[in-house]
Structures are given as structure tokens and as C-alpha cells.
Amino acid sequence: MTNTTDRHVFDENDIQITDPKSYAAGVPAVLVSLRRGLEQMGPLRTARTLARLNQRHGFDCPGCAWPETPGHRKAAEFCENGAKAVAEEATTRKVGPAFFAAHSIPELLAQTDFWLGQQGRLTHPMIIRPGGAHYEPIGWDEAYAVIAEHLRALPSPDEAIFYTSGRTSNEAAFVYQLMIRSFGTNNMPDCSNMCHESSGTALTETIGIGKGSVSVTDLEDADLILIAGQNPGTNHPRMLSVLEKAKASGATVIAINPLPEAGLLRFKDPQKVNGVLGDGAQIADEFLQIRIGGDQALFQGLAKLLLEEEDRRPGTVLDREFLDSRCAGFEQWAEHIRAVDLATVLEATGLTREQIEQTARALIASNATIVCWAMGLTQQTHGVATIEDAVALLLMRGMIGKPGAGVCPVRGHSNVQGDRTMGIWEKMPESFLQALDDEFGIRSPRRHGLDAVDSIRAMRDGAAHVFMAMGGNFLSATPDTDVTAAALRNCALTVQISTKLNRSHLVHGRTGIILPSLGRTDKDVRNGRKQLVSVEDSMSVVHLSRGGLTPAGEQLRSEVAIVCELAQALFGPDHPVPWRGFADDYDAIRDAIARVVPGFDDFNTRVRRPDGFVLPHPPRDERRFHTATGKANFVVNDLDWVPVPEGRLILQTLRSHDQYNTTIYGLDDRYRGVKGGRRVLFVNDRDLESFGFAAGDRVDLISEWPRPDGTVEARRADDFRLVPYPTPVGNVAAYYPETNPLIPLDHVARKSNTPVSKAVTIRLEAHTPRREGAAAPGTAPGRPSPGSPGRGELVHRSVAWDE
Ligand SMILES: Nc1nc2c(c(=O)[nH]1)N[C@H]1C(S)=C(S)[C@@H](COP(=O)(O)OP(=O)(O)OC[C@H]3O[C@@H](n4cnc5c(=O)[nH]c(N)nc54)[C@H](O)[C@@H]3O)O[C@H]1N2
Ligand SMILES: Nc1nc2c(c(=O)[nH]1)N[C@H]1C(S)=C(S)[C@@H](COP(=O)(O)OP(=O)(O)OC[C@H]3O[C@@H](n4cnc5c(=O)[nH]c(N)nc54)[C@H](O)[C@@H]3O)O[C@H]1N2
Ligand SMILES: [Mo]
């Protein structure tokens, strides 16, 4: 496997560590994006592709869900990591029948995620039959027939599971959920279950709609912006330009994070001369280095200080008019908050009293406050409660439904919000199901379906037998990798509709099928006409996306076509849904969406406007709250936080600067000073010392989970380098998905069932190399552990550019 002449060969044990950077973007970012494009696509395709990224006549960036600035788009409305996402998809490397013939499943399982992703675009439908070791080509019609046969053979439709990742367009998502509900189940887990489910749950309960209430303009107009549990420099880089603008017009930005993330400290805008030459703009005015899981304590502590100031100087803090006319539950909540013990708040947050008082003063001084957040808040046991307390902090001062103020959950996948709007949810409300039934003459099932965690349980326990995924990488994205692997292998059939090879293709059911699909950048022609799709960004703006690249092969089909063709095979010619018409003309799908989904009237016309259109949002538009009380709700939550048990550490699992979720772009985390490897554990100097380790030591991570019977379940992830880092004492960080085998399936957030990826109790052991060939724990002998990708060095096949 070794080819030392190849310049891409990495020895993951040869990791270089330098000091973390205190600024994001700038010239290195421009260079990295061009280099990645050239490596994957060659010069012509790179120039052509990047010129269309996020432009009105181009395609929506398959990176994050951050909106485009309406009206004035720059020539280059993208970031380094958007360019990497595009290069990853628009690559000219290919994975076809010859590749699968050459590599058996055990061989592929031994490769790293990085290596798998680097092999290129999937080009042919493939099948692996019971007992087989290789995927083999299969025709589309035969593949559909195999899937339909398996689905029809199930005793109940609820024994099938249909996953969705968040890149799927509105049109594809709508026909997909229509097929699934026509089949008879609501088992529709999606990546949102592992992402912003806590936000959706908290916002629905408090303000009556599970979406953010602000626009880009609001951010620019804000007086005060809190950014909690989010790393925009890496994951939403275009947000930095907006923050820079907000600051130029006087906003104060407070970053709340256990880590001093580069993007929050300083930002150099590569689009501007001073960004290239100068020191860049200071983004965060204050950095609250909070302990992992301390945010609810911070929000409750702040609320208490605000209530006390109102007592001292009545009428100066609370928006009484708003509270009286628009809110419910304030008095009860305030009574609860007054009883909060500030000593506990200081212990839970690790902050000083002065820091909290200063933040309280900033909240009182601000006439327009926005709270932004992402995974640092949602992936916590008390994620829903934390967000409800953040909302309460805004509501008490009337900070919603007015310019420059509101809630801003910053979404991940580029259409994760749109997929939900289109009905990808295991518990869509009755009004949606009824509208769907009325439009199509079907009978949607009413019983709620399974989310991601419950789907794994069902497959593990033999209660579900067919698993199908519209994009994503279910195995690597979900917690408890070995348990998920066993669950998937327990299925009769697994089907992956994908653009790129990933670990989920290698851990399959008795029969496994791969269906290669077009991506966002690809030209989609049906019936001689170029088809358009639409997406909804993090701020509820719906707009078109038009791919333009020549697809990786003749065999690729669009997600819409795949769903409609499978539905025809499954339901036969007499089904009431016009599948054929939908596959040939996406305008017809949009016309149906317009009749079923609120806010989409005149969809086909409005989506063709230059900047698309904004969906209704009652709290933002008219300060109306469609909750059970008809008002904005203050919810009383007991204070919860994450103490560090003696001799243990709390691990958060996060993204490096060189990955898109489970897709690994490269092995460098530039802003955090890591080069050439991913198996690192960021740890405070004092913990290094107290545990008797030195920088660079190799350790094994063992997570501990108490069973109901009092015993402890241990999970391991082996061989991580210790990297001293400015993280709070007792709190450590490492990358996902390498650490997912450590997260117990039952470690979930209350109410949202989201895996708690940001607070896992672990201990360290000095790394003991395992005997060569010995099976990793949790796997059958001879079968490589799906969660511990092999350390095989990276070897690139030579590829010929076709453009
Ligand atoms: N380039 C790139 N862009 C992406 C993605 C990607 O992988 N790569 N993924 C996309 C997706 S799906 C998503 S959901 C988003 C994710 O965007 P983020 O949520 O920014 O992603 P994470 O890397 O998980 O970072 C979580 C941040 O929360 C902090 N944190 C951890 N625990 C706590 C805590 O208890 N309290 C507080 N206050 N902070 C905490 C971490 O230090 C880190 O800065 O990005 C999207 N955009
Ligand atoms: N430990 C830990 N686990 C986490 C997280 C964490 O912070 N820590 N974050 C969670 C979050 S926020 C999320 S959103 C999930 C992400 O979970 P997923 O969305 O399931 O994972 P991705 O890595 O984004 O999926 C990548 C795969 O999608 C396929 N793909 C890409 N584009 C397309 C397309 O256009 N069409 C189709 N059909 N396929 C496509 C490719 O085959 C690629 O390999 O992971 C979650 N898991
Ligand atoms: Mo996400």
C-alpha cells in the first residue's frame, strides 16, 4: 500500500503542531481554495465553476446554509471552504465498476475516510449481493426492482427507514417524502436530528416556529450580537463579512466558546485590499471562555442580573408592554430565575462575576440584540433548555420581531432547513399531512416515525429491515459507530443514493445498493430541458440553484428522477401521484408544492426573481406566536450543566478547518495550528500535567457510560496525539467522526433526542499499540472496525482530466 513517491502520502503519526492562529481568512484562504480546485478539477473547470458559485444564474454553494447578501453580490460570493466543497463535488476523479472490482469491501474498510472521499465521483449503480465481497454493476431498472421487492416484502411499512442528509433540493425532498408517505411510513430520520433539532424543539415551544427570525440586514443593524457555540471562521466563513459590517456600524460582538476560535478573534476579508494587506478586523469585542455545557447557567445568570437591575431601576430593563401583550409565563419564569445561585453560575461557566456583569450591562445597553448559535448549544443533554433560556433573555427585553433583533440558529447543510419545510420530518403536523392527502388522493400515515437515534435502535433490535439514504453518511455521522454498524449490517437491504464514496457504502445490509446521483454543480437535463432546483437558506430565503457542469458519467441520475422512477417501480402505473410528469418537469413539482406547503404560493414565478423570496415567519413579520398559548412562552427549566468528574475529562467533538462533516478535504486544521493529521486531542496544559502526560504523547480515549444497573459501559478510540491548547481545564476537544465510536447511543438531549456530541465523559490511557491484525473491540475477528479507519497511507490513483 505504500507509495512514497506520491506527494499525497501522509503518515498520520507525523503530525506537525504550531501555535493556533488568531485570525481567519486572508491570503492563505484564497490560495487554499484555488489549489484544491486545481487538484480536483484542473484549471478550466475550476475557473468556470467558481465563477458561478452563489451567483444569481449559478448554483447554490453545497457548503453551509449561510445566506447570500441580497442585492449586491460580489464577483466572488464564496469562501475558502465553499470552494473546497465545490472541488470535492466537481472533481474529475471517478469511482466506477473497475474500482469496485479491484477493491474488496474488507480492503476498502481499512482505508481512511480521507482516502475514500478522494477516490472521486460514483458513476454507476452498484449492488453487493448476500455473501459477496465486491460491489458489482447493476442496471437502474433492476436496482429499482430489487428495492421495490424488498419493500413490498416487509410485514409493515414501518420496518423501512428513509434517511435524508441536508443537501437534497426542495423538489427532491418533496417527492421523496411523498413516496415514503405513499408507501405508508413516517420513518424519516434526517441529519437535522443530529444537528439543530434542539433549536427546532426549543423555538417551536417558545415562539411557535422552529426557524430563525433574523435576516442579514438585521445582523448588520444589531447593537449587540452574541455568538455561542459556533465556529464561523471555519463553518460559516461568509458570516464573518456580515459581522465585520455590523461592527463597522457600531455593533458589539461577544463570543461564547470554550475555544478561542480564529474567526471570532480577527478576520481578514480576502475580497478587500486591507484584508489582504492589513491586520484585518477584530470581530469579537469580548470572549467568554465558557466551560463545555455552561451556557444555560450563563443565560440564567444574565437573566437574574437583568431582573435585579429592573428591581433597582424599574422600567429600564424589561419591555413591559411586550411582556404583557405578547408573552406567557413570564412571572413564573422570573421567580425561578431569581432563585438561581450565582456561585453555581460561576462554577458551571468558569467565568468571573465581572465578565457576567459586563455582559449583562451590554444586554441592557443594547436596543437590538441577536443571539446566534450552532452545535456547541444544540448537541448537549440540556440543549433545548439552554436555547429556551437564550430565547427568554431576548423576550424579556422584547428583542424579537423588530429590526436588528432576534434569534439566529445558524444552520449547517445548505438545504437542511428546506428539507424540513418540504416535509422531511418524522412528525409533520396534521395540517401538512392533510394538505398532502388532499392534493394527491393518498392516505398519509399519522403515526409518528423514527428519528435517527430511534432508527438505529430499530435496526439493531430487528424491528426495521430496509434502510435507504438520500445522501449523507449515516454510519459515520451518527453516534456509537460500532452499534450503528451492527444495526446496518442487520438489515436485509441498505440503499445509498450518493455522489461520493463513503464509509456507509462499506457497512451494508445483506444486499447493498449504491445509486449514483447528480450533485448541485451538475447540469440536470430531463426531456431535453435544463431543470432547476431550489433551496432555502438559514434565514428562510428560497432561491434557485442551477448546475452547469457535465456530469461524471452517462449513468448518473438526479435525485428527483431516482425517487420518481423508484416510486413507479414500487407502486405500478395506477398510482394517483404523477411520478412520470414530476421526473420530467420540476415546475410540475413546484406547482404541487405551492398547493401543499404554506408560503409557497406562486412558487414558480417567485422563485425566478433574482433573489428568490422570503418565507413567512409570524414572530419576525408581525410579532405573532403560533404556540399552544398563542403567545411567546417563557419556559421554566432547572439549571443543568456539565461538571467534570474526578480523574475524567469532558470531550467535545468538532470540525477541523479541512472537512465537511464526514468528508475529509485534507489533514490540516490551519487556524488551530495542526498539520498533517487528525487524530489529536486538544487539552489544557494543566490537565496534561495532572494526568502525567507530555505534549505529543499518544493516548487512547475511553468513554464511560453508566448503565441503569450501576455498571459502566466503556468505549474506546485509540491513538490520539496530545496537543496543548487553550481549552478550559477539564474540557478537551477532538475531531468528528474519528471520535463517534465514543458517543453512547443513549447519550441524547432531552426532548430533541439529539446525540450529545459536545459532552462525552472520557479518561485517557497511554496508547498501547495493538497486535498487528488483531480485531478492534466491537468487531468480528477479521472484519476491520468500521469506526476505526485503518492507518493505511494515502495513495492516489493517477487520473486523466477530461476537461
Ligand atoms: N467547512 C465546513 N462548513 C460546515 C460544516 C463542515 O463540516 N465544514 N458543517 C456544516 C454543518 S452540517 C453544521 S451543523 C455547521 C456546524 O457549525 P459549528 O456548530 O460551528 O461546528 P462545530 O465544529 O461542531 O463547532 C462547534 C463550536 O462550538 C463550540 N462549543 C463546544 N461545546 C460548547 C459549549 O458547551 N458551549 C459553547 N458556547 N460552545 C461550545 C466549539 O468550541 C466550536 O467552536 O457547519 C456547517 N458548515
Ligand atoms: N461526533 C459528532 N457527530 C456529528 C456531529 C458532530 O458535531 N459531532 N455533527 C452532526 C451534524 S450537525 C450533521 S448535519 C451530521 C451530518 O451527517 P450527514 O449529512 O449524513 O453527513 P455528510 O458527511 O454531510 O454526508 C456526506 C455524504 O453525502 C453525499 N452527498 C454529498 N452531496 C450530495 C448530493 O448532492 N446528493 C446526494 N444524494 N448525496 C450527496 C456524499 O456521498 C458524501 O459522502 O453529522 C452529525 N454528527
Ligand atoms: Mo449539521
Side-chain angles (χ1 to χ4, degrees), residues 385-646:
T386 301
I387 295 161
E388 287 177 346
D389 279 322
V391 173
L393 199 55
L394 291 171
L395 290 179
M396 66 195 290
R397 301 213 355 95
M399 294 293 171
I400 193 158
K402 67 175 199 176
V407 289
C408 183
V410 183
R411 301 275 162 182
H413 264 300
S414 48
N415 198 38
V416 61
Q417 187 161 317
D419 290 347
R420 274 289 165 94
T421 307
M422 291 299 119
I424 301 288
W425 195 25
E426 68 279 0
K427 39 191 183 199
M428 282 306 278
E430 175 59 26
S431 55
F432 179 92
L433 299 176
Q434 192 56 55
L436 198 64
D437 291 356
D438 292 347
E439 169 73 14
F440 295 106
I442 60 167
R443 172 75 192 156
S444 297
R446 293 319 201 249
R447 193 145 57 97
H448 286 176
L450 302 172
D451 63 10
V453 165
D454 286 336
S455 293
I456 297 169
R457 292 184 176 130
M459 291 185 280
R460 175 196 64 190
D461 300 340
H465 303 281
V466 173
F467 174 86
M468 178 161 173
M470 178 60 80
N473 183 356
F474 190 78
L475 171 76
S476 302
T478 51
D480 228 346
T481 315
D482 291 342
V483 172
T484 304
L488 289 168
R489 286 178 172 150
N490 216 10
C491 287
L493 174 71
T494 50
V495 182
Q496 303 283 345
I497 301 172
S498 313
T499 52
K500 301 282 301 270
L501 183 65
N502 65 46
R503 204 158 289 276
S504 293
H505 302 113
L506 312 178
V507 177
H508 49 80
R510 284 187 292 288
T511 299
I513 290 180
I514 299 174
L515 301 176
S517 83
L518 297 176
R520 200 69 67 69
T521 53
D522 297 319
K523 199 184 295 168
D524 182 0
V525 179
R526 300 284 308 174
N527 227 7
R529 276 184 51 210
K530 196 172 164 187
Q531 302 294 329
L532 316 169
V533 295
S534 66
V535 294
E536 173 185 343
D537 67 31
S538 199
M539 293 174 178
S540 304
V541 180
V542 180
H543 61 90
L544 282 179
S545 176
R546 311 163 160 87
L549 295 178
T550 308
E554 304 265 289
Q555 290 272 331
L556 269 65
R557 298 199 179 165
S558 72
E559 294 177 344
V560 168
I562 294 171
V563 170
C564 293
E565 288 163 3
L566 174 59
Q568 284 171 272
L570 184 59
F571 305 127
D574 299 327
H575 197 259
V577 178
W579 298 110
R580 180 96 197 240
F582 281 173
D584 286 343
D585 179 9
Y586 303 177
D587 277 351
I589 304 175
R590 281 184 285 271
D591 284 340
I593 293 172
R595 290 186 292 267
V596 172
V597 188
F600 283 81
D601 321 73
D602 215 3
F603 190 8
N604 269 309
T605 312
R606 288 197 300 153
V607 81
R608 285 177 165 83
R609 291 180 189 158
D611 289 315
F613 61 97
V614 187
L615 289 172
H617 189 289
R620 177 197 66 205
D621 303 336
E622 35 183 359
R623 288 193 147 187
R624 285 163 66 106
F625 303 93
H626 299 307
T627 62
T629 58
K631 296 190 165 184
N633 290 319
F634 282 85
V635 181
V636 172
N637 286 296
D638 286 337
L639 179 54
D640 195 0
W641 52 290
V642 184
V644 186
E646 183 63 31

Side-chain angles (χ1 to χ4, degrees), residues 63-65 81 195-196 227-232 234-237 256-259 261 290-295 374-377 379-380 410-413 652-657 659-662 665 672 736 758:
C64 72
N81 278 344
C195 186
H196 268 291
I227 303 175
Q230 194 203 344
N231 178 20
T234 286
N235 297 313
H236 306 91
I256 305 165
N257 202 303
L259 305 181
E261 303 285 29
I290 197 159
R291 287 200 177 124
I292 290 175
D295 304 82
M375 298 303 102
L377 262 52
Q379 297 173 338
Q380 298 283 357
V410 183
R411 301 275 162 182
H413 264 300
Q652 61 148 320
T653 64
L654 40 48
R655 291 153 173 81
S656 87
H657 192 65
Q659 73 183 83
Y660 193 90
N661 299 336
T662 70
Y665 300 142
R672 298 196 187 105
Y736 127 78
K758 295 290 188 277

Side-chain angles (χ1 to χ4, degrees), residues 220-261:
E220 292 171 359
D221 290 347
D223 286 346
L224 175 64
I225 302 170
L226 304 187
I227 303 175
Q230 194 203 344
N231 178 20
T234 286
N235 297 313
H236 306 91
R238 285 177 300 117
M239 179 177 178
L240 298 185
S241 324
V242 176
L243 292 174
E244 197 188 9
K245 254 181 116 175
K247 286 196 55 79
S249 40
T252 299
V253 175
I254 300 182
I256 305 165
N257 202 303
L259 305 181
E261 303 285 29

Side-chain angles (χ1 to χ4, degrees), residues 27-275:
V27 171
V30 178
L31 293 179
V32 169
S33 47
L34 285 179
R35 185 162 49 98
R36 284 290 151 69
L38 293 170
E39 277 173 13
Q40 299 270 359
M41 317 184 248
L44 249 181
R45 202 163 151 109
T46 302
R48 250 194 255 151
T49 311
L50 294 183
R52 286 178 177 75
L53 178 47
N54 284 339
Q55 297 302 313
R56 282 178 179 160
H57 295 288
F59 58 93
D60 182 64
C61 182
C64 72
W66 188 259
E68 280 71 61
T69 308
H72 34 76
R73 293 194 192 183
K74 296 181 200 157
E77 181 75 37
F78 62 88
C79 68
E80 169 196 356
N81 278 344
K84 288 191 212 164
V86 167
E88 190 74 20
E89 180 175 299
T91 180
T92 47
R93 299 173 191 161
K94 288 171 191 180
V95 172
F99 174 90
F100 287 108
H103 300 281
S104 70
I105 296 293
E107 254 178 83
L108 291 172
L109 276 171
Q111 297 292 354
T112 61
D113 292 321
F114 179 36
W115 187 92
L116 294 175
Q118 291 295 302
Q119 302 312 303
R121 285 290 294 270
L122 295 160
T123 57
H124 287 69
M126 304 294 299
I127 186 166
I128 187 160
R129 300 188 194 267
H134 289 261
Y135 273 98
E136 299 159 4
I138 183 175
W140 279 100
D141 288 342
E142 199 195 335
Y144 294 140
V146 173
I147 301 168
E149 198 182 307
H150 273 87
L151 287 172
R152 280 193 298 257
L154 294 173
S156 151
D158 286 333
E159 293 185 23
I161 285 162
F162 299 88
Y163 177 66
T164 313
S165 172
R167 270 194 196 171
T168 295
S169 66
N170 289 330
E171 293 72 12
F174 185 79
V175 290
Y176 186 48
Q177 62 84 33
L178 180 58
M179 177 191 80
I180 299 163
R181 295 199 161 97
S182 299
F183 176 62
T185 183
N186 282 310
N187 288 346
M188 276 177 248
D190 66 351
C191 68
S192 204
N193 295 144
M194 298 172 270
C195 186
H196 268 291
E197 195 69 60
S198 300
S199 309
T201 306
L203 292 175
T204 303
E205 217 169 328
T206 50
I207 63 167
I209 177 170
K211 298 182 181 184
S213 73
V214 303
S215 65
V216 169
T217 318
D218 286 320
L219 275 159
E220 292 171 359
D221 290 347
D223 286 346
L224 175 64
I225 302 170
L226 304 187
I227 303 175
Q230 194 203 344
N231 178 20
T234 286
N235 297 313
H236 306 91
R238 285 177 300 117
M239 179 177 178
L240 298 185
S241 324
V242 176
L243 292 174
E244 197 188 9
K245 254 181 116 175
K247 286 196 55 79
S249 40
T252 299
V253 175
I254 300 182
I256 305 165
N257 202 303
L259 305 181
E261 303 285 29
L264 295 171
L265 298 182
R266 233 169 240 286
F267 166 57
K268 293 186 187 184
D269 186 345
Q271 315 280 340
K272 285 193 200 155
V273 177
N274 75 348

Side-chain angles (χ1 to χ4, degrees), residues 548-789:
L549 295 178
T550 308
E554 304 265 289
Q555 290 272 331
L556 269 65
R557 298 199 179 165
S558 72
E559 294 177 344
V560 168
I562 294 171
V563 170
C564 293
E565 288 163 3
L566 174 59
Q568 284 171 272
L570 184 59
F571 305 127
D574 299 327
H575 197 259
V577 178
W579 298 110
R580 180 96 197 240
F582 281 173
D584 286 343
D585 179 9
Y586 303 177
D587 277 351
I589 304 175
R590 281 184 285 271
D591 284 340
I593 293 172
R595 290 186 292 267
V596 172
V597 188
F600 283 81
D601 321 73
D602 215 3
F603 190 8
N604 269 309
T605 312
R606 288 197 300 153
V607 81
R608 285 177 165 83
R609 291 180 189 158
D611 289 315
F613 61 97
V614 187
L615 289 172
H617 189 289
R620 177 197 66 205
D621 303 336
E622 35 183 359
R623 288 193 147 187
R624 285 163 66 106
F625 303 93
H626 299 307
T627 62
T629 58
K631 296 190 165 184
N633 290 319
F634 282 85
V635 181
V636 172
N637 286 296
D638 286 337
L639 179 54
D640 195 0
W641 52 290
V642 184
V644 186
E646 183 63 31
R648 303 293 185 269
L649 294 161
I650 302 299
L651 168 74
Q652 61 148 320
T653 64
L654 40 48
R655 291 153 173 81
S656 87
H657 192 65
D658 230 359
Q659 73 183 83
Y660 193 90
N661 299 336
T662 70
T663 298
I664 312 303
Y665 300 142
L667 302 178
D668 302 343
D669 194 0
R670 204 169 69 246
Y671 298 154
R672 298 196 187 105
V674 176
K675 225 173 143 69
R678 292 179 46 87
R679 295 186 87 88
V680 293
L681 185 75
F682 297 105
V683 52
N684 185 289
D685 270 325
R686 275 174 47 198
D687 286 321
L688 265 188
E689 206 184 293
S690 66
F691 287 99
F693 288 110
D697 279 357
R698 289 160 70 173
V699 293
D700 297 340
L701 316 183
I702 295 105
S703 75
E704 296 181 331
W705 180 248
R707 288 203 191 92
D709 67 4
T711 58
V712 171
E713 241 170 59
R715 289 169 173 77
R716 331 175 46 100
D718 287 349
D719 201 6
F720 287 74
R721 290 268 172 171
L722 291 174
V723 176
Y725 205 80
T727 171
V729 174
N731 288 176
V732 293
Y735 302 132
Y736 127 78
E738 284 81 351
T739 44
N740 286 39
L742 295 169
I743 306 171
L745 188 63
D746 293 339
H747 191 25
V748 290
R750 285 187 291 275
K751 291 189 187 170
S752 65
N753 218 26
T754 295
V756 179
S757 307
K758 295 290 188 277
V760 183
T761 306
I762 62 163
R763 64 187 165 80
L764 308 182
E765 276 179 9
H767 173 60
T768 40
R770 263 167 229 289
R771 199 165 35 82
E772 222 23 60
T779 37
R783 219 162 181 190
S785 167
S788 327

